[in-house]
Short mmCIF file of all heavy atoms in Angstrom, two decimals:
data_model
loop_
_atom_site.label_atom_id
_atom_site.label_comp_id
_atom_site.label_asym_id
_atom_site.label_seq_id
_atom_site.Cartn_x
_atom_site.Cartn_y
_atom_site.Cartn_z
N MET A 1 -0.99 -5.00 -7.13
CA MET A 1 0.08 -5.32 -6.25
C MET A 1 1.11 -6.14 -6.99
O MET A 1 0.74 -7.00 -7.79
CB MET A 1 -0.41 -6.07 -5.03
CG MET A 1 0.66 -6.31 -4.01
SD MET A 1 0.12 -7.10 -2.47
CE MET A 1 -1.34 -6.28 -2.04
N ILE A 2 2.38 -5.92 -6.75
CA ILE A 2 3.42 -6.73 -7.36
C ILE A 2 4.26 -7.31 -6.25
O ILE A 2 4.34 -6.79 -5.15
CB ILE A 2 4.28 -5.92 -8.35
CG1 ILE A 2 5.00 -4.79 -7.62
CG2 ILE A 2 3.48 -5.46 -9.49
CD1 ILE A 2 6.01 -4.08 -8.50
N ARG A 3 4.90 -8.42 -6.57
CA ARG A 3 5.82 -9.06 -5.61
C ARG A 3 7.21 -9.09 -6.20
O ARG A 3 7.39 -9.47 -7.32
CB ARG A 3 5.34 -10.47 -5.32
CG ARG A 3 6.17 -11.15 -4.31
CD ARG A 3 5.62 -12.53 -4.00
NE ARG A 3 6.53 -13.20 -3.11
CZ ARG A 3 6.39 -14.43 -2.68
NH1 ARG A 3 5.35 -15.09 -3.03
NH2 ARG A 3 7.29 -14.94 -1.89
N ARG A 4 8.18 -8.66 -5.38
CA ARG A 4 9.61 -8.72 -5.76
C ARG A 4 10.29 -9.50 -4.67
O ARG A 4 10.52 -9.00 -3.58
CB ARG A 4 10.22 -7.33 -5.86
CG ARG A 4 9.58 -6.42 -6.88
CD ARG A 4 10.02 -6.72 -8.30
NE ARG A 4 11.45 -6.67 -8.45
CZ ARG A 4 12.09 -5.68 -9.05
NH1 ARG A 4 11.45 -4.69 -9.60
NH2 ARG A 4 13.37 -5.70 -9.19
N GLY A 5 10.63 -10.78 -4.93
CA GLY A 5 11.21 -11.63 -3.90
C GLY A 5 10.22 -11.83 -2.80
O GLY A 5 9.06 -12.16 -3.04
N ALA A 6 10.63 -11.51 -1.57
CA ALA A 6 9.74 -11.69 -0.42
C ALA A 6 8.94 -10.41 -0.14
O ALA A 6 8.16 -10.38 0.77
CB ALA A 6 10.56 -12.05 0.82
N ARG A 7 9.15 -9.36 -0.92
CA ARG A 7 8.49 -8.07 -0.67
C ARG A 7 7.30 -7.85 -1.61
O ARG A 7 7.36 -8.25 -2.78
CB ARG A 7 9.47 -6.94 -0.82
CG ARG A 7 10.57 -7.06 0.21
CD ARG A 7 11.48 -5.91 0.20
NE ARG A 7 12.47 -6.11 1.24
CZ ARG A 7 13.44 -5.29 1.45
NH1 ARG A 7 13.61 -4.27 0.71
NH2 ARG A 7 14.28 -5.54 2.42
N HIS A 8 6.26 -7.24 -1.03
CA HIS A 8 5.06 -6.91 -1.80
C HIS A 8 4.96 -5.39 -1.89
O HIS A 8 5.21 -4.70 -0.92
CB HIS A 8 3.82 -7.47 -1.12
CG HIS A 8 3.79 -8.96 -1.09
ND1 HIS A 8 4.57 -9.68 -0.21
CD2 HIS A 8 3.11 -9.85 -1.83
CE1 HIS A 8 4.33 -11.00 -0.42
NE2 HIS A 8 3.44 -11.08 -1.41
N HIS A 9 4.58 -4.91 -3.05
CA HIS A 9 4.45 -3.47 -3.27
C HIS A 9 3.14 -3.16 -3.96
O HIS A 9 2.61 -3.93 -4.72
CB HIS A 9 5.57 -2.96 -4.17
CG HIS A 9 6.93 -3.34 -3.70
ND1 HIS A 9 7.54 -2.73 -2.63
CD2 HIS A 9 7.81 -4.29 -4.13
CE1 HIS A 9 8.73 -3.28 -2.44
NE2 HIS A 9 8.90 -4.23 -3.36
N THR A 10 2.65 -1.95 -3.61
CA THR A 10 1.51 -1.42 -4.33
C THR A 10 2.09 -0.46 -5.36
O THR A 10 3.14 0.15 -5.16
CB THR A 10 0.59 -0.65 -3.41
OG1 THR A 10 1.23 0.56 -2.96
CG2 THR A 10 0.16 -1.49 -2.20
N VAL A 11 1.42 -0.35 -6.49
CA VAL A 11 1.91 0.62 -7.53
C VAL A 11 0.68 1.36 -8.04
O VAL A 11 0.21 1.11 -9.14
CB VAL A 11 2.65 -0.11 -8.66
CG1 VAL A 11 3.30 0.91 -9.60
CG2 VAL A 11 3.71 -1.07 -8.13
N PRO A 12 0.18 2.25 -7.20
CA PRO A 12 -1.02 3.03 -7.60
C PRO A 12 -0.71 4.08 -8.68
O PRO A 12 0.43 4.57 -8.74
CB PRO A 12 -1.46 3.70 -6.32
CG PRO A 12 -0.23 3.81 -5.50
CD PRO A 12 0.64 2.63 -5.88
N ARG A 13 -1.70 4.37 -9.49
CA ARG A 13 -1.57 5.42 -10.51
C ARG A 13 -2.40 6.62 -10.04
O ARG A 13 -3.58 6.47 -9.74
CB ARG A 13 -2.10 4.92 -11.83
CG ARG A 13 -1.92 5.91 -12.97
CD ARG A 13 -2.49 5.34 -14.27
NE ARG A 13 -1.86 4.11 -14.69
CZ ARG A 13 -0.77 4.03 -15.44
NH1 ARG A 13 -0.17 5.10 -15.83
NH2 ARG A 13 -0.29 2.86 -15.77
N ASP A 14 -1.77 7.79 -9.97
CA ASP A 14 -2.47 9.00 -9.58
C ASP A 14 -3.42 9.39 -10.70
O ASP A 14 -3.37 8.89 -11.79
CB ASP A 14 -1.48 10.16 -9.30
CG ASP A 14 -0.58 9.85 -8.14
OD1 ASP A 14 -0.95 9.00 -7.33
OD2 ASP A 14 0.47 10.49 -8.05
N ASN A 15 -4.26 10.41 -10.39
CA ASN A 15 -5.22 10.90 -11.40
C ASN A 15 -4.52 11.44 -12.64
O ASN A 15 -5.06 11.38 -13.73
CB ASN A 15 -6.12 11.98 -10.81
CG ASN A 15 -7.10 11.39 -9.81
OD1 ASN A 15 -7.40 10.21 -9.85
ND2 ASN A 15 -7.58 12.25 -8.91
N ASP A 16 -3.30 11.95 -12.48
CA ASP A 16 -2.56 12.44 -13.64
C ASP A 16 -1.74 11.35 -14.35
O ASP A 16 -1.01 11.60 -15.25
CB ASP A 16 -1.68 13.62 -13.26
CG ASP A 16 -0.54 13.21 -12.33
OD1 ASP A 16 -0.43 12.01 -11.99
OD2 ASP A 16 0.26 14.08 -11.97
N GLY A 17 -1.89 10.08 -13.88
CA GLY A 17 -1.22 8.96 -14.52
C GLY A 17 0.11 8.61 -13.94
O GLY A 17 0.76 7.67 -14.38
N THR A 18 0.55 9.33 -12.92
CA THR A 18 1.86 9.08 -12.32
C THR A 18 1.81 7.80 -11.48
O THR A 18 0.89 7.60 -10.69
CB THR A 18 2.28 10.26 -11.41
OG1 THR A 18 2.30 11.44 -12.20
CG2 THR A 18 3.64 9.99 -10.80
N LEU A 19 2.77 6.90 -11.67
CA LEU A 19 2.90 5.70 -10.87
C LEU A 19 3.83 5.94 -9.71
O LEU A 19 4.85 6.63 -9.86
CB LEU A 19 3.44 4.55 -11.70
CG LEU A 19 2.56 4.01 -12.83
CD1 LEU A 19 3.33 2.98 -13.64
CD2 LEU A 19 1.30 3.40 -12.24
N SER A 20 3.50 5.45 -8.53
CA SER A 20 4.38 5.55 -7.38
C SER A 20 4.35 4.20 -6.64
O SER A 20 3.30 3.61 -6.48
CB SER A 20 3.99 6.67 -6.46
OG SER A 20 2.63 6.51 -6.06
N ALA A 21 5.47 3.72 -6.27
CA ALA A 21 5.55 2.38 -5.61
C ALA A 21 5.61 2.57 -4.07
O ALA A 21 6.32 3.41 -3.58
CB ALA A 21 6.84 1.66 -6.06
N LEU A 22 4.73 1.83 -3.42
CA LEU A 22 4.67 1.82 -1.95
C LEU A 22 4.74 0.39 -1.47
O LEU A 22 4.35 -0.51 -2.16
CB LEU A 22 3.33 2.41 -1.51
CG LEU A 22 3.01 3.85 -1.93
CD1 LEU A 22 1.53 4.13 -1.67
CD2 LEU A 22 3.89 4.80 -1.18
N SER A 23 5.25 0.23 -0.24
CA SER A 23 5.23 -1.06 0.37
C SER A 23 3.79 -1.46 0.63
O SER A 23 2.96 -0.65 1.01
CB SER A 23 5.97 -1.02 1.70
OG SER A 23 5.76 -2.24 2.40
N ALA A 24 3.45 -2.72 0.37
CA ALA A 24 2.09 -3.24 0.64
C ALA A 24 1.98 -3.72 2.05
O ALA A 24 0.95 -4.25 2.43
CB ALA A 24 1.76 -4.35 -0.35
N ARG A 25 3.01 -3.56 2.85
CA ARG A 25 3.02 -4.00 4.24
C ARG A 25 2.40 -2.91 5.11
O ARG A 25 2.90 -1.81 5.19
CB ARG A 25 4.46 -4.32 4.65
CG ARG A 25 4.62 -4.96 5.99
CD ARG A 25 4.19 -6.40 6.06
NE ARG A 25 4.91 -7.27 5.12
CZ ARG A 25 4.51 -8.56 4.93
NH1 ARG A 25 3.47 -9.04 5.59
NH2 ARG A 25 5.17 -9.32 4.11
N CYS A 26 1.32 -3.23 5.79
CA CYS A 26 0.66 -2.30 6.70
C CYS A 26 1.64 -1.84 7.77
O CYS A 26 2.47 -2.65 8.23
CB CYS A 26 -0.58 -2.95 7.36
SG CYS A 26 -1.42 -1.93 8.54
N THR A 27 1.56 -0.57 8.16
CA THR A 27 2.51 -0.05 9.15
C THR A 27 2.02 -0.25 10.60
O THR A 27 2.62 0.25 11.53
CB THR A 27 2.70 1.48 8.91
OG1 THR A 27 1.47 2.14 8.93
CG2 THR A 27 3.41 1.70 7.59
N HIS A 28 0.95 -1.02 10.77
CA HIS A 28 0.40 -1.23 12.13
C HIS A 28 1.01 -2.35 12.98
O HIS A 28 0.81 -2.26 14.18
CB HIS A 28 -1.10 -1.47 12.08
CG HIS A 28 -1.64 -1.67 13.49
ND1 HIS A 28 -2.38 -2.75 13.89
CD2 HIS A 28 -1.55 -0.87 14.57
CE1 HIS A 28 -2.73 -2.66 15.16
NE2 HIS A 28 -2.24 -1.51 15.58
N PRO A 29 1.59 -3.31 12.73
CA PRO A 29 2.46 -3.57 11.61
C PRO A 29 2.18 -4.95 11.07
O PRO A 29 1.85 -5.85 11.80
CB PRO A 29 3.83 -3.54 12.24
CG PRO A 29 3.60 -4.17 13.60
CD PRO A 29 2.11 -3.88 13.94
N GLY A 30 2.37 -5.08 9.80
CA GLY A 30 2.66 -6.36 9.28
C GLY A 30 1.76 -7.02 8.26
O GLY A 30 2.31 -7.75 7.42
N CYS A 31 0.49 -6.84 8.23
CA CYS A 31 -0.30 -7.59 7.26
C CYS A 31 -0.20 -6.90 5.89
O CYS A 31 0.21 -5.74 5.79
CB CYS A 31 -1.76 -7.62 7.68
SG CYS A 31 -2.03 -8.56 9.21
N LEU A 32 -0.58 -7.62 4.83
CA LEU A 32 -0.58 -7.05 3.49
C LEU A 32 -1.89 -6.35 3.21
O LEU A 32 -2.95 -6.94 3.46
CB LEU A 32 -0.32 -8.15 2.44
CG LEU A 32 1.06 -8.81 2.51
CD1 LEU A 32 1.15 -9.90 1.47
CD2 LEU A 32 2.16 -7.77 2.27
N VAL A 33 -1.82 -5.15 2.72
CA VAL A 33 -3.03 -4.40 2.39
C VAL A 33 -3.60 -4.91 1.06
O VAL A 33 -2.93 -5.55 0.27
CB VAL A 33 -2.74 -2.89 2.31
CG1 VAL A 33 -2.31 -2.33 3.65
CG2 VAL A 33 -1.74 -2.58 1.23
N ARG A 34 -4.89 -4.66 0.90
CA ARG A 34 -5.61 -5.04 -0.34
C ARG A 34 -6.29 -3.79 -0.85
O ARG A 34 -6.80 -2.96 -0.06
CB ARG A 34 -6.68 -6.07 -0.03
CG ARG A 34 -6.15 -7.34 0.57
CD ARG A 34 -7.30 -8.26 0.89
NE ARG A 34 -6.80 -9.44 1.59
CZ ARG A 34 -7.52 -10.16 2.40
NH1 ARG A 34 -8.77 -9.88 2.66
NH2 ARG A 34 -6.99 -11.21 3.00
N PHE A 35 -6.44 -3.68 -2.17
CA PHE A 35 -7.03 -2.49 -2.76
C PHE A 35 -8.57 -2.66 -2.80
O PHE A 35 -9.08 -3.68 -3.23
CB PHE A 35 -6.51 -2.21 -4.16
CG PHE A 35 -6.84 -0.82 -4.59
CD1 PHE A 35 -6.25 0.30 -4.04
CD2 PHE A 35 -7.80 -0.60 -5.61
CE1 PHE A 35 -6.57 1.56 -4.44
CE2 PHE A 35 -8.12 0.68 -6.02
CZ PHE A 35 -7.51 1.76 -5.44
N ASN A 36 -9.26 -1.61 -2.35
CA ASN A 36 -10.74 -1.57 -2.41
C ASN A 36 -11.09 -0.67 -3.60
O ASN A 36 -10.93 0.55 -3.55
CB ASN A 36 -11.30 -1.00 -1.10
CG ASN A 36 -12.79 -0.87 -1.11
OD1 ASN A 36 -13.40 -0.58 -2.12
ND2 ASN A 36 -13.40 -1.09 0.01
N ASP A 37 -11.56 -1.29 -4.68
CA ASP A 37 -11.85 -0.56 -5.90
C ASP A 37 -12.98 0.47 -5.69
O ASP A 37 -12.95 1.55 -6.27
CB ASP A 37 -12.29 -1.49 -7.02
CG ASP A 37 -11.12 -2.28 -7.56
OD1 ASP A 37 -10.04 -1.68 -7.74
OD2 ASP A 37 -11.29 -3.48 -7.84
N THR A 38 -13.94 0.13 -4.86
CA THR A 38 -15.08 1.01 -4.63
C THR A 38 -14.67 2.29 -3.89
O THR A 38 -15.07 3.39 -4.28
CB THR A 38 -16.18 0.30 -3.80
OG1 THR A 38 -16.54 -0.90 -4.50
CG2 THR A 38 -17.40 1.17 -3.60
N GLU A 39 -13.82 2.13 -2.90
CA GLU A 39 -13.40 3.28 -2.08
C GLU A 39 -12.08 3.89 -2.60
O GLU A 39 -11.65 4.96 -2.12
CB GLU A 39 -13.21 2.84 -0.64
CG GLU A 39 -14.44 2.30 0.01
CD GLU A 39 -15.52 3.35 0.25
OE1 GLU A 39 -15.15 4.52 0.46
OE2 GLU A 39 -16.71 3.02 0.21
N SER A 40 -11.38 3.20 -3.47
CA SER A 40 -10.05 3.57 -3.95
C SER A 40 -9.10 3.80 -2.78
O SER A 40 -8.42 4.80 -2.67
CB SER A 40 -10.11 4.87 -4.80
OG SER A 40 -10.80 4.63 -5.97
N THR A 41 -9.13 2.82 -1.91
CA THR A 41 -8.22 2.84 -0.76
C THR A 41 -7.51 1.50 -0.60
O THR A 41 -8.04 0.46 -1.07
CB THR A 41 -8.95 3.12 0.58
OG1 THR A 41 -10.00 2.17 0.73
CG2 THR A 41 -9.55 4.54 0.60
N TRP A 42 -6.38 1.53 0.04
CA TRP A 42 -5.73 0.30 0.45
C TRP A 42 -6.19 -0.03 1.85
O TRP A 42 -6.18 0.83 2.72
CB TRP A 42 -4.19 0.51 0.43
CG TRP A 42 -3.66 0.67 -0.95
CD1 TRP A 42 -3.38 1.86 -1.53
CD2 TRP A 42 -3.39 -0.32 -1.92
NE1 TRP A 42 -2.94 1.68 -2.82
CE2 TRP A 42 -2.96 0.30 -3.07
CE3 TRP A 42 -3.50 -1.72 -1.93
CZ2 TRP A 42 -2.58 -0.38 -4.24
CZ3 TRP A 42 -3.16 -2.42 -3.08
CH2 TRP A 42 -2.72 -1.74 -4.20
N GLU A 43 -6.63 -1.26 2.05
CA GLU A 43 -7.21 -1.67 3.35
C GLU A 43 -6.46 -2.84 3.93
O GLU A 43 -6.10 -3.80 3.20
CB GLU A 43 -8.68 -2.00 3.16
CG GLU A 43 -9.50 -0.86 2.67
CD GLU A 43 -10.95 -1.14 2.48
OE1 GLU A 43 -11.35 -2.34 2.62
OE2 GLU A 43 -11.70 -0.20 2.22
N CYS A 44 -6.26 -2.78 5.21
CA CYS A 44 -5.62 -3.90 5.92
C CYS A 44 -6.65 -4.83 6.50
O CYS A 44 -7.54 -4.39 7.25
CB CYS A 44 -4.74 -3.36 7.05
SG CYS A 44 -3.89 -4.67 7.90
N PRO A 45 -6.61 -6.12 6.13
CA PRO A 45 -7.62 -7.07 6.62
C PRO A 45 -7.42 -7.44 8.10
O PRO A 45 -8.35 -8.02 8.71
CB PRO A 45 -7.40 -8.29 5.74
CG PRO A 45 -5.95 -8.23 5.38
CD PRO A 45 -5.63 -6.79 5.26
N CYS A 46 -6.31 -7.09 8.70
CA CYS A 46 -6.07 -7.53 10.07
C CYS A 46 -6.79 -6.70 11.10
O CYS A 46 -7.49 -7.23 11.98
CB CYS A 46 -4.56 -7.51 10.37
SG CYS A 46 -3.70 -8.77 9.40
N HIS A 47 -6.68 -5.38 11.07
CA HIS A 47 -7.31 -4.52 12.07
C HIS A 47 -8.02 -3.34 11.48
O HIS A 47 -8.46 -2.44 12.21
CB HIS A 47 -6.31 -4.06 13.13
CG HIS A 47 -5.45 -5.14 13.67
ND1 HIS A 47 -4.15 -5.34 13.33
CD2 HIS A 47 -5.78 -6.17 14.51
CE1 HIS A 47 -3.69 -6.43 13.94
NE2 HIS A 47 -4.67 -6.94 14.68
N GLY A 48 -8.14 -3.31 10.16
CA GLY A 48 -9.02 -2.30 9.54
C GLY A 48 -8.38 -0.96 9.17
O GLY A 48 -9.10 -0.04 8.80
N SER A 49 -7.08 -0.81 9.21
CA SER A 49 -6.47 0.44 8.79
C SER A 49 -6.73 0.65 7.29
O SER A 49 -6.82 -0.31 6.53
CB SER A 49 -4.96 0.45 9.03
OG SER A 49 -4.67 0.48 10.38
N ARG A 50 -6.89 1.91 6.92
CA ARG A 50 -7.08 2.25 5.51
C ARG A 50 -6.10 3.34 5.14
O ARG A 50 -5.82 4.24 5.89
CB ARG A 50 -8.51 2.72 5.28
CG ARG A 50 -9.51 1.62 5.52
CD ARG A 50 -10.96 2.11 5.48
NE ARG A 50 -11.19 2.76 4.23
CZ ARG A 50 -12.19 3.67 4.08
NH1 ARG A 50 -12.96 4.03 5.09
NH2 ARG A 50 -12.37 4.24 2.87
N PHE A 51 -5.63 3.26 3.88
CA PHE A 51 -4.66 4.22 3.34
C PHE A 51 -5.15 4.70 1.99
O PHE A 51 -5.74 3.93 1.22
CB PHE A 51 -3.30 3.52 3.15
CG PHE A 51 -2.76 2.87 4.38
CD1 PHE A 51 -3.17 1.56 4.69
CD2 PHE A 51 -1.89 3.51 5.24
CE1 PHE A 51 -2.67 0.93 5.84
CE2 PHE A 51 -1.40 2.89 6.36
CZ PHE A 51 -1.80 1.57 6.69
N ASP A 52 -4.89 5.99 1.68
CA ASP A 52 -5.26 6.48 0.37
C ASP A 52 -4.22 6.04 -0.66
O ASP A 52 -3.22 5.38 -0.29
CB ASP A 52 -5.48 7.98 0.34
CG ASP A 52 -4.26 8.81 0.63
OD1 ASP A 52 -3.14 8.29 0.47
OD2 ASP A 52 -4.43 9.98 1.00
N THR A 53 -4.38 6.40 -1.88
CA THR A 53 -3.50 5.88 -2.95
C THR A 53 -2.10 6.47 -2.86
O THR A 53 -1.19 5.93 -3.47
CB THR A 53 -4.07 6.15 -4.36
OG1 THR A 53 -4.38 7.54 -4.49
CG2 THR A 53 -5.34 5.32 -4.57
N SER A 54 -1.93 7.55 -2.07
CA SER A 54 -0.57 8.06 -1.87
C SER A 54 0.08 7.40 -0.64
O SER A 54 1.21 7.68 -0.35
CB SER A 54 -0.62 9.58 -1.68
OG SER A 54 -1.21 9.92 -0.42
N GLY A 55 -0.65 6.55 0.03
CA GLY A 55 -0.16 5.83 1.21
C GLY A 55 -0.47 6.51 2.54
O GLY A 55 -0.19 5.95 3.60
N SER A 56 -1.11 7.68 2.52
CA SER A 56 -1.43 8.38 3.78
C SER A 56 -2.52 7.61 4.52
O SER A 56 -3.41 7.03 3.90
CB SER A 56 -1.95 9.77 3.50
OG SER A 56 -0.89 10.53 2.89
N VAL A 57 -2.48 7.66 5.84
CA VAL A 57 -3.45 6.99 6.69
C VAL A 57 -4.80 7.70 6.58
O VAL A 57 -4.86 8.92 6.73
CB VAL A 57 -3.01 6.96 8.17
CG1 VAL A 57 -4.05 6.36 9.04
CG2 VAL A 57 -1.70 6.22 8.31
N ARG A 58 -5.85 6.98 6.30
CA ARG A 58 -7.22 7.51 6.31
C ARG A 58 -8.01 6.98 7.49
O ARG A 58 -9.02 7.52 7.87
CB ARG A 58 -7.93 7.17 5.01
CG ARG A 58 -7.33 7.94 3.84
CD ARG A 58 -8.07 7.72 2.60
NE ARG A 58 -9.39 8.37 2.67
CZ ARG A 58 -10.31 8.17 1.74
NH1 ARG A 58 -10.11 7.41 0.68
NH2 ARG A 58 -11.48 8.76 1.85
N GLN A 59 -7.56 5.82 8.05
CA GLN A 59 -8.26 5.25 9.21
C GLN A 59 -7.26 4.48 10.05
O GLN A 59 -6.45 3.72 9.48
CB GLN A 59 -9.38 4.34 8.71
CG GLN A 59 -10.19 3.68 9.84
CD GLN A 59 -11.37 2.93 9.25
OE1 GLN A 59 -12.16 3.46 8.48
NE2 GLN A 59 -11.48 1.68 9.67
N SER A 60 -7.25 4.67 11.34
CA SER A 60 -6.35 3.96 12.25
C SER A 60 -6.84 2.50 12.44
O SER A 60 -7.94 2.22 11.98
CB SER A 60 -6.27 4.72 13.58
OG SER A 60 -7.54 4.76 14.14
N PRO A 61 -6.10 1.64 13.07
CA PRO A 61 -5.10 1.98 14.07
C PRO A 61 -3.71 2.35 13.54
O PRO A 61 -2.89 2.83 14.30
CB PRO A 61 -5.01 0.68 14.90
CG PRO A 61 -5.38 -0.39 13.93
CD PRO A 61 -6.40 0.23 13.03
N ALA A 62 -3.41 2.14 12.27
CA ALA A 62 -2.08 2.57 11.76
C ALA A 62 -1.97 4.08 11.93
O ALA A 62 -2.94 4.83 11.78
CB ALA A 62 -1.96 2.18 10.30
N THR A 63 -0.80 4.55 12.27
CA THR A 63 -0.53 5.98 12.40
C THR A 63 0.52 6.49 11.41
O THR A 63 0.65 7.66 11.27
CB THR A 63 -0.07 6.33 13.83
OG1 THR A 63 1.14 5.61 14.11
CG2 THR A 63 -1.13 5.97 14.87
N GLN A 64 1.19 5.55 10.77
CA GLN A 64 2.22 5.92 9.82
C GLN A 64 1.81 5.53 8.43
O GLN A 64 1.17 4.50 8.22
CB GLN A 64 3.54 5.19 10.16
CG GLN A 64 4.05 5.52 11.54
CD GLN A 64 4.46 6.97 11.64
OE1 GLN A 64 5.12 7.53 10.78
NE2 GLN A 64 3.99 7.64 12.71
N PRO A 65 2.18 6.35 7.39
CA PRO A 65 1.79 6.01 6.05
C PRO A 65 2.54 4.79 5.50
O PRO A 65 3.55 4.35 6.08
CB PRO A 65 2.23 7.30 5.26
CG PRO A 65 3.30 7.89 6.07
CD PRO A 65 2.98 7.55 7.51
N LEU A 66 1.96 4.24 4.46
CA LEU A 66 2.70 3.15 3.75
C LEU A 66 4.05 3.69 3.32
O LEU A 66 4.17 4.83 2.90
CB LEU A 66 1.94 2.67 2.52
CG LEU A 66 0.57 2.01 2.82
CD1 LEU A 66 -0.14 1.66 1.50
CD2 LEU A 66 0.73 0.77 3.68
N LYS A 67 5.06 2.85 3.46
CA LYS A 67 6.43 3.32 3.14
C LYS A 67 6.72 3.27 1.64
O LYS A 67 6.21 2.37 0.95
CB LYS A 67 7.44 2.43 3.86
CG LYS A 67 7.31 2.54 5.36
CD LYS A 67 8.29 1.63 6.08
CE LYS A 67 8.06 1.84 7.57
NZ LYS A 67 8.67 0.81 8.35
N PRO A 68 7.50 4.26 1.16
CA PRO A 68 7.87 4.19 -0.25
C PRO A 68 8.66 2.94 -0.56
O PRO A 68 9.40 2.44 0.29
CB PRO A 68 8.75 5.43 -0.43
CG PRO A 68 8.44 6.32 0.75
CD PRO A 68 8.04 5.39 1.86
N ALA A 69 8.49 2.42 -1.73
CA ALA A 69 9.23 1.25 -2.15
C ALA A 69 10.21 1.66 -3.24
O ALA A 69 9.92 2.51 -4.06
CB ALA A 69 8.29 0.14 -2.68
N HIS A 70 11.36 1.07 -3.20
CA HIS A 70 12.37 1.35 -4.20
C HIS A 70 12.49 0.10 -5.05
O HIS A 70 12.94 -0.91 -4.61
CB HIS A 70 13.70 1.72 -3.54
CG HIS A 70 13.53 2.89 -2.63
ND1 HIS A 70 13.41 4.20 -3.08
CD2 HIS A 70 13.46 2.94 -1.27
CE1 HIS A 70 13.27 4.98 -2.05
NE2 HIS A 70 13.29 4.27 -0.96
N LEU A 71 12.03 0.22 -6.28
CA LEU A 71 12.02 -0.92 -7.19
C LEU A 71 13.22 -0.85 -8.11
O LEU A 71 13.22 -0.22 -9.13
CB LEU A 71 10.72 -0.94 -7.99
CG LEU A 71 9.42 -1.00 -7.20
CD1 LEU A 71 8.22 -0.96 -8.08
CD2 LEU A 71 9.42 -2.28 -6.34
N ALA A 72 14.26 -1.52 -7.72
CA ALA A 72 15.46 -1.58 -8.55
C ALA A 72 15.23 -2.57 -9.69
O ALA A 72 14.48 -3.55 -9.50
CB ALA A 72 16.67 -2.01 -7.71
N PRO A 73 15.82 -2.34 -10.81
CA PRO A 73 15.66 -3.31 -11.94
C PRO A 73 16.16 -4.68 -11.53
O PRO A 73 17.11 -4.79 -10.76
CB PRO A 73 16.52 -2.69 -13.02
CG PRO A 73 16.87 -1.32 -12.62
CD PRO A 73 16.69 -1.24 -11.13
N THR A 74 15.52 -5.70 -12.06
CA THR A 74 15.99 -7.07 -11.77
C THR A 74 17.10 -7.42 -12.74
O THR A 74 17.23 -6.84 -13.81
CB THR A 74 14.84 -8.09 -11.93
OG1 THR A 74 14.33 -7.99 -13.25
CG2 THR A 74 13.77 -7.83 -10.93
N GLU A 75 17.90 -8.37 -12.35
CA GLU A 75 19.02 -8.80 -13.20
C GLU A 75 18.53 -9.82 -14.21
O GLU A 75 17.60 -10.50 -14.04
CB GLU A 75 20.13 -9.37 -12.32
CG GLU A 75 20.68 -8.33 -11.37
CD GLU A 75 21.70 -8.90 -10.44
OE1 GLU A 75 22.37 -9.92 -10.81
OE2 GLU A 75 21.87 -8.38 -9.35
S1 FES B 1 -1.72 -4.94 10.92
FE1 FES B 1 -2.79 -3.60 9.61
S2 FES B 1 -4.23 -2.63 10.84
FE2 FES B 1 -3.19 -3.94 12.19
#
């Protein structure tokens, strides 16, 4: 997870090595997700939502995927 100002992002690497930036903010809404190395999922500590490395919901209560993050270069 990386932090840019007040925003937190996940930057998972796909099996082919591709990096994609996602918001680390759960869509249920609000808590910061944490990565579970054993399950290879992003998990929300607040109510238990889980997301795969592409941000898709694997377990509710969240119904929306993690949002894409746009990481602009810093000055
Ligand atoms: S805020 Fe993440 S599951 Fe509720």
Side-chain angles (χ1 to χ4, degrees):
M1 184 176 317
I2 61 172
R3 182 176 175 182
R4 299 281 304 254
R7 296 186 178 176
H8 294 76
H9 306 286
T10 68
V11 189
R13 184 181 301 274
D14 295 341
N15 289 337
D16 67 359
T18 303
L19 293 174
S20 54
L22 300 168
S23 170
R25 189 71 60 188
C26 179
T27 56
H28 180 236
C31 296
L32 293 177
V33 296
R34 301 176 186 154
F35 195 70
N36 178 324
D37 287 319
T38 304
E39 300 291 330
S40 294
T41 55
W42 293 98
E43 299 181 352
C44 181
C46 293
H47 309 107
S49 290
R50 294 172 57 204
F51 305 85
D52 66 20
T53 54
S54 69
S56 296
V57 176
R58 290 185 69 189
Q59 182 175 307
S60 59
T63 59
Q64 299 296 313
L66 296 177
K67 295 178 180 164
H70 303 286
L71 301 177
T74 59
E75 297 176 28

